[in-house]
Amino acid sequence: MPLKPSYDDKLHLSGLSNTEILILALEAAQKLEWKIEKIAPEGILFQVPFNMYSHGEEITFTIEQGSDGEVSVRSQSSSIQFVDYGKNRKNIQKLQKAMEEARNSLFPEELTQKANELEEDFNRPLTEEEKAYIEEEMKKNSILSFFIPRKGFIATPILIDINILVFILMVASGVGILNPDTLPLLKWGADFGPLTLTGDWWRTVTCNFIHIGGFHLAMNIYAFMFVALFLEQLIGSRRMFASYFLTGLCSAAFSLYMHGETISAGASGAIFGLYGIFLAFLLFHGIAKEERKALLTSILIFVGYNLIYGLKEGIDNAAHIGGLLSGFLLGIVYVFSNKFKNPDAQRTVSIIGELGIFCIFLFCFIMLCKNVPPLYQEIRQEWESGIVEAYLNGELEEENENHPVISPPGNSSDRQFPSYVPIGNNDTWLSYYDAETNFSCQYPTNWRKITGAKGLTPSAPPPLLKLVNGANQLTVVSIAYDTQKEFEHTKKLSLIVPRNEKGQPSEDYKQNDININGLPMTKTTNPLHIGAPDEPGKDIQQISFKYFQEKNKRIYSIVMLLYDEEAAADLDAIVSSIQITK
């Protein structure tokens, strides 16, 4: 988030009238080569020019009425930066020193004469041109100016208004204002690989106008305002519109390539694209030399901070990177086009470059569509049939919980566990995906997914997935280790099987290597007694699969408890659908 550091101080100039103090400030500004933005009886607004000693700070010089020459001075950074390296404090020190030098260099009569002339200028009526200028400046400096299009500043207000309007419509339709649910985000057009790459191409556009809560919207608008202040007057409104849409498309495509199963929404990818364009102008001398260094430092700090912050879980940094890179490339095109003096030539080069960026996006998007995993098509079918909506609404889980428990024939005391419920005509298959571990599989709706399941021990992580049907269970656990040594040690322990009295592996434990969808796993099968050792209880079969992801130092454990032989086919089908994206 960009910051505007500032420094406040007070100057004491007793024995002088307010107008004489203003004269000294004006003389000092002239010596320091500061630009006078606004002058009034109560004070002056200065703009420090960009140079190696300044980032273009604003100096607010305010005279305290009735305070016998006490002046409040504030120096505030106007560019995007985290620290000012003491520049604001030095500005005030320079101003104070220059005012003292001006006071010593002016004779009292000369100072009085200049003050009288300034007083007369304050009291004269404003011309029509001055009134129009002041009115226009007030509009520009008003917060409302960011939302109302005007000549030379059309694209930014319209794009901001569209984002706000879409959010208002979403909230009006029942979407959560702070933490919207997944389903309404998908319905409104969030980017999601299984849908975007199987027909909903338009999501690459709509995702750039949808936000995941009011705070998300506010932060993006804030960042957008900062870059738009500089950029639209630099490239023009037409190119501003084109830049937002093109870099937004590229950010969506890169997000789909990196993690297509993640639901992505927000204008930040397109906004990073605008920062990429501005960065290209700074690096390739598209901006005046005296301003370039200060702005470049600020932009690099902003981009670097947000990319590092984007490493946090839940932030789509891939979209940020895709937008930034495409924006930088588009910025190079715009810098090159500006080298032509003829406006028609500039427009032609810009449009050719924009078409080139769009072709790059189109090629990448088509390739992604051609290489979609089979799971995406299955999720698409579930989405179109309404199964995904029912699942996200909790309707299918409620239905599963109402499956009847079939009592076994004979004495009920002979069996203490609920019976397996076979797949019925109304059952279908659901897809499960965990974005953090890239684990996915499918399971039938006659199996109930247990939510909120806890680990085996208080310190153990909860399972990714736990399915139950009667006494039959399937549990998936994934653990990542911090060091390679810890990973290797745990891997070695997990492959150890009990040994008999002769020190040989127990005959009850069968272990072999298998391959599931290209994933090398170790399968271990062994009997498991349910109940106390001195009671009849029940002997069931335990089947576990271990997958060791060396690159990420992560171990996946899939454990099945098979109580009913009829459930074996279901469990085998679930396991055979397992995929883990590397």
Side-chain angles (χ1 to χ4, degrees):
M1 177 178 172
L3 304 173
K4 298 174 69 175
S6 63
Y7 183 80
D8 295 270
D9 203 351
K10 289 188 181 293
L11 307 182
H12 299 278
L13 300 162
S14 58
L16 297 174
S17 68
N18 290 350
T19 312
E20 288 173 336
I21 294 173
L22 291 178
I23 290 295
L24 293 180
L26 291 171
E27 292 287 330
Q30 184 178 4
K31 182 178 181 181
L32 295 169
E33 298 182 349
W34 290 358
K35 181 181 178 183
I36 301 170
E37 294 286 343
K38 179 182 177 183
I39 180 170
E42 63 275 7
I44 309 174
L45 177 64
F46 300 113
Q47 181 73 47
V48 182
F50 282 92
N51 53 55
M52 63 183 299
Y53 305 108
S54 166
H55 286 179
E57 295 82 21
E58 286 185 348
I59 312 293
T60 307
F61 185 91
T62 307
I63 298 177
E64 303 289 343
Q65 298 298 326
S67 59
D68 190 24
E70 186 173 80
V71 181
S72 295
V73 186
R74 159 173 281 203
S75 177
Q76 184 172 32
S77 302
S78 58
S79 59
I80 306 164
Q81 58 194 91
F82 294 99
V83 293
D84 64 354
Y85 307 103
K87 296 182 187 296
N88 285 306
R89 186 169 180 269
K90 290 177 181 178
N91 284 336
I92 295 178
Q93 291 173 344
K94 289 179 182 178
L95 177 63
Q96 184 176 16
K97 182 179 179 181
M99 287 180 68
E100 291 172 354
E101 292 175 352
R103 185 175 186 179
N104 294 331
S105 65
L106 290 172
F107 292 108
E109 298 81 4
E110 189 179 1
L111 179 60
T112 302
Q113 182 184 352
K114 288 178 177 286
N116 290 335
E117 291 173 357
L118 183 61
E119 194 77 41
E120 290 177 4
D121 194 47
F122 283 147
N123 293 328
R124 72 171 175 80
L126 296 174
T127 64
E128 292 299 322
E129 290 79 6
E130 288 172 334
K131 289 179 181 178
Y133 175 78
I134 292 173
E135 185 179 348
E136 186 64 24
E137 286 298 307
M138 289 178 64
K139 288 181 180 178
K140 288 182 180 179
N141 294 327
S142 170
I143 189 67
L144 291 176
S145 65
F146 284 101
F147 308 98
I148 302 175
R150 63 179 184 274
K151 185 178 180 180
F153 196 68
I154 298 174
T156 299
I158 290 177
L159 290 170
I160 289 175
D161 292 344
I162 291 174
N163 278 279
I164 294 175
L165 178 61
V166 169
F167 185 72
I168 291 173
L169 293 174
M170 289 173 64
V171 173
S173 69
V175 179
I177 192 169
L178 293 178
N179 295 301
D181 294 329
T182 299
L183 182 60
L185 288 175
L186 290 174
K187 285 187 172 182
W188 274 89
D191 196 16
F192 182 49
L195 301 182
T196 307
L197 298 177
T198 58
D200 292 353
W201 57 266
W202 46 267
R203 291 178 182 272
T204 57
V205 177
T206 56
C207 70
N208 295 294
F209 297 92
I210 294 169
H211 288 84
I212 308 173
F215 182 76
H216 185 210
L217 173 66
M219 290 298 99
N220 277 343
I221 289 179
Y222 185 59
F224 188 25
M225 285 179 174
F226 260 90
V227 71
L229 277 172
F230 299 100
L231 193 59
E232 185 161 357
Q233 62 180 340
L234 190 64
I235 66 175
S237 297
R238 189 204 68 79
R239 293 197 289 190
M240 191 75 172
F241 276 121
S243 300
Y244 185 94
F245 281 95
L246 287 173
T247 58
L249 288 172
C250 292
S251 69
F254 197 67
S255 176
L256 290 169
Y257 171 74
M258 294 300 295
H259 43 65
E261 297 84 2
T262 300
I263 295 174
S264 177
S268 56
I271 293 170
F272 261 82
L274 301 181
Y275 278 95
I277 294 173
F278 198 48
L279 195 59
F281 272 85
L282 291 169
L283 290 175
F284 296 104
H285 302 178
I287 294 176
K289 183 179 180 180
E290 61 272 13
E291 300 180 11
R292 194 182 307 141
K293 183 177 180 181
L295 284 171
L296 182 60
T297 302
S298 299
I299 293 296
L300 288 175
I301 290 175
F302 171 81
V303 170
Y305 170 79
N306 280 277
L307 287 177
I308 293 172
Y309 183 77
L311 296 175
K312 291 179 61 177
E313 184 179 353
I315 297 178
D316 188 3
N317 222 15
H320 295 168
I321 295 171
L324 184 68
L325 293 176
S326 60
F328 186 73
L329 184 59
L330 188 57
I332 294 174
V333 173
Y334 288 158
V335 171
F336 177 72
S337 70
N338 284 357
K339 294 185 181 297
F340 293 90
K341 295 182 179 180
N342 189 316
D344 291 335
Q346 291 182 1
R347 189 181 304 109
T348 300
V349 172
S350 296
I351 292 174
I352 291 174
E354 290 161 359
L355 289 173
I357 297 293
F358 180 75
C359 288
I360 292 173
F361 156 75
L362 196 60
F363 173 78
C364 295
F365 187 76
I366 290 173
M367 294 304 296
L368 288 170
C369 291
K370 285 185 175 181
N371 295 283
V372 295
L375 179 64
Y376 283 19
Q377 295 292 350
E378 294 162 0
I379 295 176
R380 158 63 67 181
Q381 294 174 4
E382 294 171 359
W383 172 260
E384 292 178 347
S385 65
I387 293 175
V388 172
E389 182 172 353
Y391 172 71
L392 292 174
N393 286 332
E395 297 170 5
L396 288 177
E397 288 194 4
E398 292 176 6
E399 185 178 306
N400 288 339
E401 289 172 359
N402 293 329
H403 272 305
V405 177
I406 303 174
S407 300
N411 191 342
S412 61
S413 63
D414 294 338
R415 185 163 185 164
Q416 301 174 357
F417 301 100
S419 298
Y420 162 74
V421 179
I423 295 180
N425 294 330
N426 295 326
D427 287 306
T428 184
W429 285 74
L430 299 177
S431 298
Y432 172 81
Y433 175 75
D434 180 72
E436 182 180 355
T437 61
N438 292 320
F439 175 91
S440 65
C441 71
Q442 293 181 297
Y443 64 93
T445 52
N446 63 315
W447 285 73
R448 182 160 57 93
K449 182 164 76 75
I450 304 297
T451 56
K454 297 182 178 180
L456 295 176
T457 65
S459 60
L464 298 181
L465 177 66
K466 185 170 185 178
L467 301 174
V468 174
N469 187 334
N472 307 281
Q473 295 183 17
L474 182 143
T475 305
V476 181
V477 177
S478 175
I479 302 176
Y481 296 90
D482 296 329
T483 64
Q484 187 67 29
K485 182 178 180 180
E486 187 180 11
F487 171 78
E488 294 293 343
H489 178 69
T490 308
K491 175 182 177 181
K492 183 177 180 181
L493 289 178
S494 63
L495 295 177
I496 295 176
V497 297
R499 296 182 175 272
N500 55 27
E501 296 176 353
K502 297 180 180 180
Q504 297 174 342
S506 173
E507 296 179 356
D508 292 335
Y509 284 77
K510 295 180 173 58
Q511 193 174 83
N512 61 297
D513 296 329
I514 63 170
N515 191 289
I516 298 177
N517 296 320
L519 302 172
M521 296 191 183
T522 300
K523 177 182 178 181
T524 304
T525 305
N526 63 278
L528 188 67
H529 183 79
I530 304 298
D534 55 346
E535 295 180 358
K538 178 71 176 180
D539 289 325
I540 66 173
Q541 191 176 40
Q542 176 176 272
I543 306 169
S544 65
F545 301 85
K546 299 285 184 181
Y547 172 59
F548 306 100
Q549 197 174 57
E550 303 283 345
K551 181 180 179 181
N552 297 329
K553 297 188 288 291
R554 182 180 289 275
I555 297 177
Y556 295 80
S557 298
I558 302 99
V559 179
M560 302 189 306
L561 299 181
L562 183 61
Y563 185 94
D564 300 283
E565 288 296 329
E566 300 93 323
D570 290 356
L571 290 171
D572 289 343
I574 294 171
V575 171
S576 65
S577 71
I578 289 175
Q579 293 185 8
I580 301 173
T581 306
K582 298 181 180 179

